[in-house]
Amino acid sequence: MAKKTVTIDDLKKSLTLIVGKKQILFPERAEDNALCQSYLEESRGRSVGKALAIVFPSSTEEVAQIVATCRYHKTPVVPQGGNTGRCLGAQTDDENAVIINLKNMNKIRQLDSDNMTMTVEAGCILQDLQDYAAKADLFFPLSLGSEGSCQIGGNLATNAGGINVLRYGNARELTLGVEAVTANGTVLNELYGLRKNNTGYDLKSLFIGSEGTLGIITAVTLKLFPPEINNEHAFVAVKNIDDAVSCLRTLQRHFGNKISTFELIPQQAIAFLEKHSELTCPIENHHPWYVWYKIADSNPATPLFDENLIILDKLMAEGTVITATVAQNESMKQYFAQIREMIVEVQKCEGHSIKFDVSVPVSAIANLVEKGNAAAKAICPNIRPYPFGHIGDGNIHYNFNCPVGIDDATYRLNYQEKLQQAIYDIIDGLDGSFSAEHGIGSQKLAEMKYYKDPIALDLMRRIKHAFDPFYLMNPNKVIPPLAKKSREEGSDNN
Amino acid sequence: MAKKTVTIDDLKKSLTLIVGKKQILFPERAEDNALCQSYLEESRGRSVGKALAIVFPSSTEEVAQIVATCRYHKTPVVPQGGNTGRCLGAQTDDENAVIINLKNMNKIRQLDSDNMTMTVEAGCILQDLQDYAAKADLFFPLSLGSEGSCQIGGNLATNAGGINVLRYGNARELTLGVEAVTANGTVLNELYGLRKNNTGYDLKSLFIGSEGTLGIITAVTLKLFPPEINNEHAFVAVKNIDDAVSCLRTLQRHFGNKISTFELIPQQAIAFLEKHSELTCPIENHHPWYVWYKIADSNPATPLFDENLIILDKLMAEGTVITATVAQNESMKQYFAQIREMIVEVQKCEGHSIKFDVSVPVSAIANLVEKGNAAAKAICPNIRPYPFGHIGDGNIHYNFNCPVGIDDATYRLNYQEKLQQAIYDIIDGLDGSFSAEHGIGSQKLAEMKYYKDPIALDLMRRIKHAFDPFYLMNPNKVIPPLAKKSREEGSDNN
């Protein structure tokens, strides 16, 4: 016991030596306690974790030293960015773990206009990067709700999505190169700004989306694009989801990838919106479904507004779209965008909602919502389904608000588990994903165990073991644990 | 010795039982010998390999059985598609190895128009897939010289590039899901048609580009796009490479990703073209560099022709482009495309050329060519540099034709090694890649050993060992071997 205390003290001293006294917090130390909260707490304040220390390195070299030191002490490390994740990926309950927060690694190392790339450190705030690119008359398209506080390292660790995926792809597709500290404290240098590089396995894609379980991303080279200086917004009503998909395909044939956003909004969301906010639906009368879409171009001369009207006339004439309104000015555009943001907020006024971040092939969305709603109503007759979001990517934020008059705790207790099983089974039957953009963290380990292809899980375990044999990199995240015995039985490595 | 013969006979019998007598060839059997040649020979006929057997499975299940059987017999397997690779990735010199040729796995399993995807087996010929998509009024953009005979499985195994990467990405970016047989004969089912799926490590990207060293891709789900029914071609002259890059960036700001092809052609190539073919340069007078580019749109109403003329006027007025000609009709478009194809062919009339398939950041191409040409001339004064290709991706096919009057053997013997070292050193200094699109195979193992980041190589070795502990999947490809002793020393797994 005495020996262990000495070891922990040694570790604390070593970590302090690496980053300096001002860049380390110890939750157990009274004067640090308040400062630690925002790093220990889950982003929505639902739980508070533990840690031995929170360190704030300022360089890749310091991250490498921290990891090597923790490895020597057999101490788990938990990388953390802006701590805005939805699946507890940057949290830990282990009071012996060290949280490595990357916020001090916030330098922009290079912006190369001719190559249309920028190389930045992991701790840069997403919005700062968008702004920096804009100043160079370029555009970095990754955009999501938490962009004012999330960090690019965390965005890559979770392969973040957001509202521009339809046109530009997820974080993985926006990244050309990564620098990462491996589990043994060495530095992988794959910080290329290359569009083509077929020299071996795609380590970049492997680190992206691995949620810190294989190493810590310390810097990245990102793709930049011409700015979307010309853009138009429309809000349309459709009678069903299939018509929304037809509308998307027609728009894409006409505008190509200029369709950068295409978001589904259900009648239920408009009802909540009008009840709980100052906003009203831009389309009169009630319709079953709405879509907000955006067309964007880097060429100011493209007559997007007129072209969009022509296409909308055609879509209305053939009956695909019931009615439509287009934004006539900048404030109307903002109004449409605000509606999309607000439909997330107003839900909260109607009590607890059980949430799913799922995807299916775009052709199966109508089927998903039909089956999902029926299954949910069979479980809880007055449940209020609330499916919305990135229909162009097949990614629905499929929420279910509690029936009127049921308290939150009862709703959760009686229906959450049954609903999860029903919805995930439907997703599985449609070859969909139970986590489209939020990742796994420690929150969706049960779903990983149950729904993920067992061969895929086996290969993931092999990679994890090969990269991190002591299981010290963000342990108990992404990969569900095997019982000790079956882990040995399962090993087919020799 | 007797025992070994029995074992090999057992293996032959087992393999024959799996695929049937008509779907297996034995090179050592006289009647099979002639039939084996095209599978044993390198695509350009430069070398002939060996093998114990060549098997032609018709299903994923058969592939899995073959791999499991070979594993039991500790027999290496070499997956093979259309055998059109440039780096000996589908060849072997091991007379005990089994070549698994996928050509019989050529079914299109599904085309989903609403999801804009198709799921196809690995043995489908690339051109057949392009045609199949076109019949459904969709477009599969992967396009390269060997598309009439290469197979999609091989395209993915090597992360193929080609002429449409600028707009659509490499094979990896065109793929949503893979099915693969792992080294122990199980089947990984990640055949998703999903745009978003954050459930664990990116195994799809890992298999793509691994050249059969981690498993065998048996089926894939590919992205489809609206067809490029509206397109325009231009041929322009520029005074230097920086101007070519400026021209590209201006076009991209105007046309967005409608710029689907942008190819650099040097004066030397035009000189060879006019000397050795019926074709002539579409631009009069001689200029240092030329670019052939293509603008394509799925919307027939977009006035690409007129818009292109306006942009070209602007580019000429500001001096970025010296002069330009645009294709006035379909046959002129084909003529431009033919020139681009022919500049590869005419080189052969001028004796041996030492070839490089390299990439650098687009901003560094001018620097690469300046330094590369100077270094080459220092080594061999009358050498004729011939850099051409996918400048928009930073990918130059940097060839060096022998000086006039030197025979091929002398040129190779005296200059090849020195030139390789000089060019690869320059590439390395510019943070470029020594293999942009052709991959590694067994041909570029020395470059992998010398130029690849050692930490990246270490991680690749860990993955290889974790997936294929007996080193039976396409051995001695992609990853350079370690000496037995240093492999053990190097292991940091425990």
Side-chain angles (χ1 to χ4, degrees):
Chain A
M1 202 64 183
K3 199 180 168 198
K4 196 180 175 192
T5 310
V6 172
T7 307
I8 286 177
D9 273 353
D10 283 351
L11 172 60
K12 286 176 170 179
K13 276 181 205 156
S14 299
L15 292 173
T16 308
L17 271 173
I18 295 167
V19 293
K21 278 184 187 172
K22 291 185 180 166
Q23 302 303 335
I24 188 163
L25 294 171
F26 298 103
E28 66 176 23
R29 201 161 64 180
E31 65 265 38
D32 288 356
N33 202 272
L35 291 169
C36 288
Q37 286 313 300
S38 68
Y39 305 107
L40 296 177
E41 212 170 68
E42 190 261 348
S43 59
R44 286 179 281 198
R46 290 189 181 168
S47 63
V48 181
K50 295 172 190 159
L52 176 74
I54 305 155
V55 288
F56 303 91
S58 316
S59 67
T60 305
E61 189 44 48
E62 285 185 9
V63 177
Q65 285 177 40
I66 293 164
V67 171
T69 303
C70 288
R71 183 181 162 116
Y72 175 80
H73 287 269
K74 299 279 185 286
T75 294
V77 301
V78 178
Q80 186 178 74
N83 195 19
T84 61
R86 286 281 178 262
C87 299
L88 298 170
Q91 301 294 310
T92 176
D93 283 326
D94 183 347
E95 62 194 2
N96 292 311
V98 171
I99 292 176
I100 304 180
N101 185 294
L102 279 289
K103 70 172 183 167
N104 288 343
M105 287 198 61
N106 58 0
K107 282 188 284 299
I108 291 169
R109 294 193 187 163
Q110 190 199 24
L111 188 146
D112 182 343
S113 307
D114 271 340
N115 197 41
M116 295 180 76
T117 50
M118 63 178 168
T119 299
V120 307
E121 292 183 348
C124 292
I125 303 286
L126 175 53
Q127 200 166 51
D128 294 344
L129 296 180
Q130 294 166 350
D131 294 346
Y132 194 86
K135 273 183 208 144
D137 199 19
L138 288 164
F139 177 56
F140 180 58
L142 189 66
S143 176
L144 48 149
S146 59
E147 61 196 25
S149 53
C150 64
Q151 295 170 15
I152 193 68
N155 295 146
L156 264 73
T158 57
N159 187 29
I163 59 164
N164 288 324
V165 174
L166 185 62
R167 176 170 185 166
Y168 297 98
N170 284 306
R172 187 177 284 123
E173 280 97 56
L174 294 170
T175 306
L176 293 177
V178 298
E179 173 192 272
V181 171
T182 69
N184 54 7
T186 55
V187 180
L188 171 72
N189 182 5
E190 295 252 292
L191 212 49
Y192 296 110
L194 303 173
R195 260 80 184 173
K196 282 185 178 175
N197 179 17
N198 277 345
T199 56
Y201 304 160
D202 188 1
L203 298 173
K204 175 201 84 182
S205 293
L206 190 59
F207 276 93
I208 296 173
S210 67
E211 303 187 28
T213 60
L214 299 178
I216 302 176
I217 294 171
T218 48
V220 301
T221 300
L222 303 166
K223 291 184 197 169
L224 299 174
F225 298 84
E228 295 185 337
I229 48 180
N230 181 2
N231 61 74
E232 296 300 336
H233 292 224
F235 208 93
V236 308
V238 291
K239 58 181 181 300
N240 56 48
I241 290 176
D242 281 337
D243 282 353
V245 173
S246 293
C247 175
L248 171 66
R249 295 313 181 207
T250 300
L251 287 165
Q252 285 178 322
R253 278 190 182 241
H254 189 91
F255 290 108
N257 80 344
K258 283 184 276 197
I259 303 297
S260 62
T261 298
F262 194 90
E263 298 284 306
L264 184 73
I265 298 169
Q267 167 53 34
Q268 181 67 268
I270 295 297
F272 284 6
L273 180 86
E274 298 192 337
K275 187 173 165 195
H276 298 290
S277 83
E278 301 293 305
L279 304 176
T280 55
C281 184
I283 287 177
E284 283 188 25
N285 299 322
H286 286 169
H287 300 285
W289 298 94
Y290 300 87
V291 167
W292 163 54
Y293 69 81
K294 196 173 109 184
I295 320 167
D297 199 311
S298 54
N299 177 9
T302 310
L304 293 182
F305 186 85
D306 296 342
E307 286 183 23
N308 188 35
L309 289 185
I310 293 166
I311 294 290
L312 279 172
D313 277 345
K314 189 187 151 220
L315 286 167
M316 284 189 281
E318 73 185 25
T320 308
V321 163
I322 303 170
T323 181
T325 182
V326 297
Q328 305 276 351
N329 52 45
E330 206 49 46
S331 69
M332 263 186 90
K333 290 178 192 172
Q334 281 171 23
Y335 193 78
F336 291 177
Q338 218 183 331
I339 289 174
R340 171 61 180 83
E341 271 177 44
M342 193 55 82
I343 65 167
V344 183
E345 298 303 314
V346 291
Q347 268 187 101
K348 296 172 191 162
C349 310
E350 292 280 336
H352 186 66
S353 87
I354 297 168
K355 295 182 169 66
F356 299 88
D357 163 42
V358 294
S359 70
V360 291
V362 176
S363 51
I365 297 173
N367 201 346
L368 163 66
V369 172
E370 191 186 328
K371 283 185 175 162
N373 286 5
K377 283 173 182 171
I379 291 165
C380 175
N382 294 314
I383 200 166
R384 293 172 297 171
Y386 202 92
F388 70 95
H390 323 298
I391 181 174
D393 311 315
N395 175 199
I396 295 292
H397 295 296
Y398 201 176
N399 297 352
F400 292 88
N401 269 82
C402 61
V404 177
I406 288 191
D407 71 273
D408 295 0
T410 309
Y411 181 52
R412 231 185 309 238
L413 188 70
N414 289 351
Y415 301 111
Q416 180 154 316
E417 209 180 304
K418 282 180 199 158
L419 193 60
Q420 281 177 346
Q421 197 183 323
I423 297 298
Y424 287 138
D425 281 354
I426 290 166
I427 288 290
D428 197 46
L430 294 170
D431 293 330
S433 167
F434 59 86
S435 190
E437 59 175 12
H438 292 169
I440 304 300
S442 62
Q443 204 176 51
K444 293 188 183 164
L445 291 174
E447 289 80 7
M448 277 297 270
K449 189 162 185 172
Y450 196 77
Y451 294 104
K452 188 78 180 173
D453 176 47
I455 305 300
L457 265 184
D458 172 52
L459 294 177
M460 285 172 57
R461 287 199 174 96
R462 288 169 187 250
I463 295 169
K464 173 69 176 172
H465 183 74
F467 278 39
D468 179 25
F470 298 117
Y471 291 77
L472 297 175
M473 304 306 290
N474 213 5
N476 306 315
K477 309 285 164 64
V478 184
I479 300 179
L482 281 174
K484 201 74 181 165
K485 195 171 169 207
S486 64
R487 180 187 293 186
E488 274 146 23
E489 281 168 0
S491 173
D492 194 15
N493 255 5
N494 287 299
Chain B
M1 204 60 184
K3 198 179 167 198
K4 194 176 174 194
T5 309
V6 171
T7 308
I8 285 177
D9 272 353
D10 283 350
L11 173 60
K12 287 176 168 178
K13 274 181 204 156
S14 300
L15 292 174
T16 308
L17 271 172
I18 295 166
V19 293
K21 278 184 187 173
K22 291 186 178 165
Q23 302 302 335
I24 189 163
L25 294 171
F26 297 103
E28 65 175 23
R29 200 160 66 181
E31 65 265 39
D32 288 356
N33 201 272
L35 291 169
C36 288
Q37 286 313 299
S38 68
Y39 305 106
L40 297 177
E41 212 171 67
E42 190 262 347
S43 59
R44 285 179 281 198
R46 292 187 180 171
S47 64
V48 181
K50 295 172 190 161
L52 176 74
I54 305 155
V55 287
F56 303 93
S58 316
S59 68
T60 304
E61 190 45 47
E62 284 185 9
V63 176
Q65 286 178 40
I66 293 164
V67 170
T69 302
C70 288
R71 183 182 163 114
Y72 175 80
H73 286 270
K74 300 279 183 288
T75 295
V77 302
V78 178
Q80 186 177 73
N83 196 18
T84 61
R86 286 280 178 263
C87 299
L88 298 169
Q91 301 293 312
T92 176
D93 282 327
D94 183 347
E95 62 195 1
N96 292 311
V98 171
I99 292 176
I100 304 180
N101 185 295
L102 280 289
K103 69 172 184 168
N104 287 344
M105 287 198 62
N106 58 0
K107 283 189 284 299
I108 290 169
R109 294 193 188 164
Q110 190 199 24
L111 188 145
D112 181 342
S113 308
D114 271 340
N115 197 41
M116 295 181 74
T117 51
M118 64 179 169
T119 299
V120 307
E121 292 184 348
C124 292
I125 303 287
L126 175 54
Q127 200 165 53
D128 293 344
L129 296 180
Q130 295 166 349
D131 293 347
Y132 193 86
K135 273 183 207 144
D137 199 19
L138 288 164
F139 176 56
F140 180 57
L142 188 66
S143 176
L144 47 149
S146 59
E147 61 196 25
S149 53
C150 64
Q151 295 170 16
I152 192 68
N155 295 147
L156 265 72
T158 57
N159 187 29
I163 59 163
N164 288 323
V165 174
L166 185 61
R167 176 169 186 165
Y168 297 98
N170 284 305
R172 186 178 284 123
E173 280 96 57
L174 294 170
T175 306
L176 293 178
V178 298
E179 174 192 271
V181 171
T182 69
N184 55 6
T186 56
V187 180
L188 171 73
N189 181 5
E190 295 253 292
L191 211 49
Y192 296 110
L194 303 174
R195 260 80 185 173
K196 281 184 177 176
N197 180 17
N198 277 345
T199 56
Y201 304 160
D202 188 2
L203 298 173
K204 174 202 85 182
S205 294
L206 191 58
F207 276 94
I208 297 174
S210 68
E211 303 187 27
T213 61
L214 299 178
I216 302 176
I217 294 170
T218 48
V220 300
T221 300
L222 303 166
K223 290 184 198 168
L224 299 173
F225 297 84
E228 295 185 336
I229 48 181
N230 181 0
N231 61 73
E232 296 300 336
H233 293 225
F235 209 92
V236 307
V238 290
K239 59 179 181 302
N240 56 48
I241 290 176
D242 281 336
D243 282 353
V245 173
S246 293
C247 174
L248 171 66
R249 295 313 181 206
T250 299
L251 288 165
Q252 285 179 322
R253 280 191 179 239
H254 190 91
F255 290 108
N257 81 344
K258 283 183 276 197
I259 303 297
S260 62
T261 298
F262 194 91
E263 299 282 308
L264 183 74
I265 298 170
Q267 167 53 35
Q268 182 66 269
I270 295 297
F272 284 5
L273 180 87
E274 297 191 335
K275 186 173 166 195
H276 298 290
S277 83
E278 302 292 307
L279 304 177
T280 55
C281 184
I283 287 176
E284 283 189 24
N285 298 324
H286 286 170
H287 300 285
W289 298 95
Y290 300 88
V291 167
W292 164 54
Y293 69 81
K294 196 173 107 184
I295 320 167
D297 198 311
S298 55
N299 177 8
T302 311
L304 294 182
F305 187 84
D306 296 343
E307 286 183 23
N308 189 34
L309 289 184
I310 293 166
I311 295 289
L312 279 173
D313 277 345
K314 189 187 151 219
L315 287 167
M316 285 189 281
E318 72 185 26
T320 308
V321 163
I322 302 170
T323 181
T325 182
V326 297
Q328 305 276 352
N329 52 44
E330 207 49 47
S331 70
M332 260 185 93
K333 290 178 193 173
Q334 280 171 23
Y335 193 78
F336 291 177
Q338 217 183 332
I339 289 174
R340 170 63 180 81
E341 271 177 44
M342 193 56 83
I343 64 168
V344 183
E345 298 305 313
V346 292
Q347 268 186 99
K348 295 172 192 163
C349 309
E350 291 280 336
H352 185 67
S353 87
I354 298 168
K355 295 183 170 67
F356 299 88
D357 163 43
V358 293
S359 70
V360 290
V362 176
S363 50
I365 297 173
N367 201 346
L368 163 65
V369 172
E370 191 186 328
K371 282 185 175 164
N373 286 5
K377 282 172 184 172
I379 291 165
C380 174
N382 294 314
I383 200 166
R384 292 172 297 171
Y386 202 91
F388 70 95
H390 322 299
I391 180 173
D393 311 314
N395 175 199
I396 295 292
H397 296 296
Y398 202 176
N399 298 351
F400 292 89
N401 270 81
C402 61
V404 178
I406 289 192
D407 72 275
D408 295 359
T410 309
Y411 182 51
R412 230 185 311 238
L413 187 70
N414 289 351
Y415 301 111
Q416 180 153 315
E417 210 180 304
K418 283 181 199 159
L419 193 60
Q420 280 176 346
Q421 197 182 324
I423 297 298
Y424 287 139
D425 280 354
I426 290 167
I427 287 290
D428 197 45
L430 294 170
D431 292 328
S433 167
F434 59 86
S435 190
E437 61 176 12
H438 292 170
I440 305 299
S442 62
Q443 205 177 51
K444 293 187 184 165
L445 292 174
E447 289 80 6
M448 276 297 269
K449 190 162 185 172
Y450 196 76
Y451 294 104
K452 188 79 180 173
D453 176 46
I455 306 300
L457 265 184
D458 172 51
L459 294 176
M460 285 173 56
R461 287 199 175 97
R462 287 167 187 251
I463 295 169
K464 172 70 175 173
H465 183 75
F467 278 38
D468 179 26
F470 298 118
Y471 291 77
L472 297 175
M473 305 305 290
N474 213 6
N476 305 316
K477 309 285 164 65
V478 183
I479 301 179
L482 282 174
K484 200 80 178 162
K485 196 174 168 204
S486 65
R487 180 187 295 187
E488 275 146 23
E489 281 168 1
S491 174
D492 193 12
N493 256 6
N494 287 300

